[in-house]
Amino acid sequence: QSALTQPPSASGSPGQSVTISCTGTSSDIGAYNYVSWYQQHPGKAPKLMISDVNKRPSGVPDRFSGSKSGNTASLTVSGLQGEDEAEYYCASYAGSFTLVFGGGTKLTVL
Amino acid sequence: EVQLVESGGGLVQPGGSLRLSCAASGFAFSTHDMHWVRQVKGKGLEWVSAIGKAGDAYYSVSVKGRFTLSRENARNSLYLQMDNLRAGDTAVYYCARGYCSGGTCHPHVDVWGQGTTVTVSS
């Protein structure tokens, strides 16, 4: 199972919006509406930010939103804040309990 | 408080074995699938293995045949037996809970432990 493809970096100024893409295949992202996004700060465990393509778990700000089209999913962070600077990983269900992750995108708030 | 605490990591020689444990608390352990995800220092996340509520286990291609995942619901514990370890298995290993919301479980993970470090080196 190959990793999902994410851009290595993204950036935006405070208050702006930024979108991070995540490209998979017809066997993972394209096959299931089970895309998730995780935020990881240095030295910390990942945190679930988006599940089921576009659902925010309790406590996640509505500045975070997700979408999917075909084999590509996207995470949009609106109204960027300094605390949003982190590594972001996408993941998709790929059948038989298997998850496949993206390589990660480092989001920098300028 | 929902918590996952991993233990059992350490330094092991290539070809050796380690057994990782994950102690769960603050939630109904038996009602959740459980996963292990690993991360090489400075690199991305890699799914390793998962176990369903009934004890059915699944593995990534990279560890299948070498790792064995089990759970003991009475002890709220998860175990990952790692045999024939290779240098490429060196990573921080995270225990993670399968995500359930509104009575429905989804193939994501939500709660993560802080990780335990496995180093395979001679």
Side-chain angles (χ1 to χ4, degrees):
Chain A
Q1 192 70 35
S2 299
L4 307 176
T5 301
Q6 297 181 236
S9 63
S11 63
S13 299
Q16 288 187 333
S17 293
V18 65
T19 297
I20 298 170
S21 64
C22 171
T23 302
T25 70
S26 57
S27 297
D28 38 63
I29 291 179
Y32 306 97
N33 286 321
Y34 290 130
V35 176
S36 51
W37 289 89
Y38 300 87
Q39 176 192 67
Q40 187 179 34
H41 288 108
K44 300 294 187 181
K47 175 185 176 183
L48 178 65
M49 305 301 285
I50 296 287
S51 72
D52 301 334
V53 176
N54 56 14
K55 294 181 173 53
R56 283 185 308 277
S58 176
V60 174
D62 60 6
R63 302 183 293 103
F64 291 85
S65 62
S67 63
K68 187 189 96 166
S69 178
N71 297 338
T72 299
S74 299
L75 172 73
T76 297
V77 186
S78 305
L80 271 175
Q81 299 181 5
E83 67 209 49
D84 300 333
E85 184 161 298
E87 194 85 19
Y88 289 84
Y89 294 93
C90 61
S92 175
Y93 183 59
S96 298
F97 275 77
T98 299
L99 298 177
V100 58
F101 285 90
T105 297
K106 180 174 175 54
L107 175 60
T108 301
V109 180
L110 302 170
Chain B
E1 179 193 4
V2 175
Q3 198 170 11
L4 298 171
V5 178
E6 304 94 337
S7 61
L11 174 64
V12 62
Q13 292 188 339
S17 298
L18 275 179
R19 188 194 195 206
L20 304 185
S21 298
C22 173
S25 59
F27 67 99
F29 178 75
S30 64
T31 66
H32 287 259
D33 303 329
M34 297 295 296
H35 298 250
W36 286 94
V37 178
R38 68 187 180 184
Q39 185 172 34
V40 174
K41 189 174 182 179
K43 302 294 184 182
L45 301 169
E46 180 190 8
W47 179 81
V48 173
S49 182
I51 189 165
K53 295 179 280 292
D56 43 325
Y58 302 84
Y59 305 92
S60 68
V61 170
S62 59
V63 308
K64 193 169 186 178
R66 301 187 297 121
F67 290 12
T68 303
L69 181 57
S70 61
R71 65 190 299 163
E72 191 171 355
N73 289 338
R75 291 180 177 267
N76 292 335
S77 293
L78 186 69
Y79 307 104
L80 184 66
Q81 177 67 39
M82 305 188 297
D83 298 319
N84 191 18
L85 283 161
R86 307 166 180 167
D89 296 318
T90 295
V92 173
Y93 284 72
Y94 292 102
C95 170
R97 184 182 76 168
Y99 178 57
C100 296
S101 176
T104 303
C105 293
H106 309 246
H108 311 294
V109 294
D110 58 350
V111 177
W112 300 64
Q114 285 305 302
T116 187
T117 300
V118 172
T119 303
V120 184
S121 175
S122 54

